[in-house]
């Protein structure tokens, strides 16, 4: 779009000039659906938030600075809900590694699909409920949230790949 489109309007105030990388970047950003970026940011926030119940469990298990030398050994001292909080926290990282590339793929390929956008917004909410359900020991709800998150991730991969193939 930017290489030879002299005079192509970007917004109302700027036109692209050949070789102007800043104008090209601005034009590219104008085409991006920020939902995928916001969803990625919210999901990262959910991963960070998963530390809260784990921290509460560690405080109940008399966390000491010496526990930093062998943090996995402390897991044996956690109450049952604290062990589940630890597992939910670890799963948050695993799920993020599947979701993040899907959201980035949609962002890079400029997906403009309401279903993909909905999936991107629903995912962080499902992950937040997943953590609460895991800590509260509600396996059916936890499993439903996990499955819903996987469906959302799959939708993002599918729509991102469709957009990538359509562009080539």
């Amino acid at each position: 779009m930017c290489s030879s489109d002299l005079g192509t309007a970007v917004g109302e105030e700027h036109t692209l000039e050949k070789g102007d990388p800043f104008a090209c970047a601005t034009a590219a950003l104008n085409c991006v659906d920020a939902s995928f970026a916001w969803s990625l940011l919210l999901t990262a926030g959910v991963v960070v938030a998963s530390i809260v119940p784990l921290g509460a469990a560690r405080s109940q298990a008399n966390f000491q600075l010496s526990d930093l030398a062998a943090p996995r050994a402390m897991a044996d001292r956690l109450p049952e809900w604290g062990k589940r909080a630890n597992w939910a926290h670890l799963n948050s990282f695993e799920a993020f590694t599947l979701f993040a590339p899907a959201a980035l793929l949609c962002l890079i390929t400029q997906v403009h699909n309401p279903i993909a956008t909905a999936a991107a917004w629903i995912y962080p909410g499902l992950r937040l409920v997943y953590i609460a359900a895991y800590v509260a020991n509600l396996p059916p709800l936890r499993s439903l949230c996990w499955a819903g998150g996987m469906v959302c991730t799959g939708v993002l991969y599918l729509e991102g790949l469709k957009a990538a193939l359509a562009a080539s």
Side-chain angles (χ1 to χ4, degrees):
M1 174 165 89
C2 294
S3 61
S4 63
D5 292 11
L6 293 173
T8 302
V10 177
E12 295 178 13
E13 302 174 2
H14 189 76
T15 59
L16 295 179
E17 295 180 26
K18 188 172 183 177
D20 184 356
F22 296 109
C24 292
T26 302
L29 287 174
N30 286 337
C31 296
V32 172
D33 182 353
S35 297
F36 303 110
W38 281 110
S39 175
L40 195 55
L41 185 65
L42 286 172
T43 303
V46 170
V47 173
V48 172
S50 71
I51 296 170
V52 173
L54 179 57
R58 285 182 176 175
S59 70
Q60 213 176 44
N62 299 320
F63 176 77
Q64 308 276 327
L65 284 178
S66 60
D67 289 324
L68 293 175
R72 289 187 176 95
M74 184 190 185
D76 296 335
R77 296 194 329 254
L78 294 174
E80 288 304 311
W81 69 268
K83 290 176 183 176
R84 290 190 302 272
N86 186 39
W87 298 329
H89 176 64
L90 295 174
N91 183 267
S92 294
F93 286 101
E94 295 164 359
F96 187 74
T97 62
L98 290 174
F99 175 77
L104 288 171
L105 179 62
C106 287
L107 192 63
I108 291 167
T109 58
Q110 300 179 6
V111 170
H112 294 287
N113 180 312
I115 294 172
T117 302
W121 283 111
I122 291 168
Y123 183 85
L126 286 172
R127 290 302 303 172
L128 201 56
V129 174
Y130 171 88
I131 293 166
Y134 209 144
V135 173
N137 198 23
L138 302 170
L141 179 59
R142 179 188 81 208
S143 297
L144 187 63
C145 290
W146 180 87
M150 290 296 107
V151 168
C152 288
T153 300
V155 165
L156 295 183
Y157 274 113
L158 180 65
E159 294 303 321
L161 288 172
K162 283 171 36 181
L165 292 172
S168 60

